[in-house]
Amino acid sequence: MKDVHINREPVELYKILKFEGMTESGAEAKIAVASGLVKVNGATETRKRKKIISGDIIMYNNEKMYVRLV
């Protein structure tokens, strides 16, 4: 599981995918979320602007990311 460090809360879901290099662009990240390819805390998430906070677990493309506030 990969740790994702954020310096403020909340952060929009698609931005985490983009900044962590999981997608090549913000547009691609939004499409992935809207298509139901992303899970947050075990549940499929289709809201691209879903607010992510420390402790959330994101799963995309068979990779888990644990969000931590630093």
Side-chain angles (χ1 to χ4, degrees):
M1 184 179 312
K2 176 180 179 179
D3 279 349
V4 173
H5 297 125
I6 57 174
N7 58 10
R8 65 179 172 83
E9 290 181 314
V11 177
E12 294 171 336
L13 175 58
Y14 84 94
K15 290 181 181 179
I16 291 177
L17 295 176
K18 176 181 145 186
F19 292 131
E20 290 300 312
M22 302 300 294
T23 61
E24 294 195 21
S25 68
E28 185 180 320
K30 288 177 181 179
I31 291 168
V33 174
S35 298
L37 301 176
V38 180
K39 290 187 178 186
V40 176
N41 299 325
T44 300
E45 183 57 65
T46 57
R47 296 172 291 169
K48 51 194 164 248
R49 295 190 182 272
K50 162 80 172 144
K51 305 299 187 212
I52 301 298
I53 59 171
S54 182
D56 283 344
I57 297 174
I58 301 167
M59 181 174 241
Y60 174 66
N61 208 21
N62 293 321
E63 186 168 347
K64 276 188 179 179
M65 296 174 277
Y66 183 78
V67 180
R68 295 182 191 271
L69 182 64
V70 293

